[in-house]
Every structure is written in structure tokens, then in C-alpha cells.
Amino acid sequence: MNTSVHAHARTWSAWLQRRADDLLVLMMVAMFGAFVLQIVFRYFLNLPVAWTEEVCVIAWLWGILWGSAFVTREDEEIRFDMVYSHVSRRTRRVFRALGSTAFVVLMAWALPATWSYVRFMKVESSAALQIRMDWLFSIYILFAVVMILRHLRVLWRAALSDDEPAPAAAEH
């Protein structure tokens, strides 16, 4: 029964991962489409419109933070390989534990002030689309919480096992 539960959880997790990927693709398509429309309206029709630039910025902001939180895997994160790849496996575990601890502490410390700032931004709206800024910046709260949880998992794995992520790119 336990194996069945794990298999079902893996299936559900894979499905959610694909939907996160799909949503990121939609954001990139929206950004590209708005960019092309901006060029057409400005340079071919001589009718510059402000909303296309705003769509590009919003899609970029949400895409970067959504992608970092839900699409990028741990093995795809940037590391200082000049040092990290030349130390022992045990030292890499210590690096992961220290780095994750620092990240969790700093992000958790900043979260209340971040939440306050995002809530405060409800008084502002975007210039062209009139979208409340707290809605636009809310993705950062989601990003911060997910990244804290992700790095708690990295810390847990570094403390309890010798398991480390495989490198994303081939070593040279």
C-alpha cells in the first residue's frame, strides 16, 4: 500500500510539474506576442500603445519568479563550480547545508516586511492596464515561500543523507 501511495504522489507531482511548465510557456508566449504587437503598432502603424510594454514587463516578472519557484530543479541552480566541484562530497554537503540555512534565515527574516510592502502596494495601479500593484507583486510572496520550503528540503537532505543533485550540465 505504501508503494502505491508513493507512486500516486509521484504521478500527481509529475502532472503538477507539467502544468507549472505549461503556465511558464504561456507567460513567455504572452510576452513575445505583446512584444511583436508593440513593434507592429509602433513602427508599422505609427500608433504606439502602452499596454504591450506593461504586458511584457508583467509576463517577464511573473515568468522569472514562477520559473524559479516551480520549474527550475535544484540541479539547475547556479553554483560556484570553481570551488564546489573541487571539494569532497562531505564538504559539498556542508556547503549545501550552510547555503540553504543562510537562504532560509534571510528569506524568512525578510518575509514579514515583504508581505507588508506587497499589501501596501494596493494603493497603486499599473499605468496602462490599471492592475493593482499588490496583485502584480504577489508572485514574489509565492516565490519566497516556495523557495524557503525548497531550501528547507535541501537542508534536510544535506543533513540526513549523502544524496546530492547530479550536475545539470556535463563537466568540462
Side-chain angles (χ1 to χ4, degrees):
M1 171 108 182
N2 197 3
T3 306
S4 174
V5 170
H6 287 309
H8 184 66
R10 277 193 302 273
T11 302
W12 180 247
S13 176
W15 185 86
L16 285 174
Q17 181 64 51
R18 287 190 306 273
R19 298 304 69 84
D21 295 347
D22 294 343
L23 193 54
L24 181 58
V25 167
L26 287 175
M27 287 182 226
M28 296 299 112
V29 167
M31 184 170 62
F32 181 72
F35 178 72
V36 169
L37 282 173
Q38 184 176 22
I39 291 170
V40 169
F41 274 87
R42 177 170 290 175
Y43 296 109
F44 293 107
L45 302 176
N46 199 23
L47 297 168
V49 290
W51 67 266
T52 54
E53 183 179 346
E54 213 166 270
V55 168
C56 286
V57 170
I58 293 167
W60 179 81
L61 173 70
W62 274 69
I64 294 298
L65 296 175
W66 180 268
S68 294
F70 296 109
V71 177
T72 304
R73 297 184 317 264
E74 182 187 347
D75 63 326
E76 297 172 329
E77 290 178 354
I78 296 172
R79 289 187 170 64
F80 294 104
D81 284 336
M82 294 185 331
V83 174
Y84 189 82
S85 63
H86 291 84
V87 297
S88 70
R89 205 172 166 91
R90 183 172 189 269
T91 304
R92 285 194 297 267
R93 282 178 58 199
V94 171
F95 283 176
R96 283 194 318 276
L98 290 174
S100 291
T101 300
F103 184 87
V104 167
V105 166
L106 291 173
M107 290 295 281
W109 175 71
L111 198 55
T114 304
W115 174 260
S116 177
Y117 181 75
V118 169
R119 287 190 44 209
F120 167 75
M121 289 305 293
K122 71 181 175 194
V123 300
E124 296 286 333
S125 294
S126 64
L129 298 174
Q130 294 301 304
I131 301 171
R132 282 182 18 187
M133 288 295 193
D134 59 334
W135 287 101
L136 294 180
F137 293 148
S138 65
I139 186 64
Y140 186 79
I141 300 296
L142 183 61
F143 162 79
V145 169
V146 169
M147 294 305 287
I148 288 169
L149 294 173
R150 177 185 280 188
H151 280 275
L152 283 171
R153 181 175 178 250
V154 170
L155 176 60
W156 179 264
R157 288 176 59 205
L160 295 182
S161 73
D162 199 23
D163 184 29
E164 71 176 296
E171 293 185 27
H172 300 278

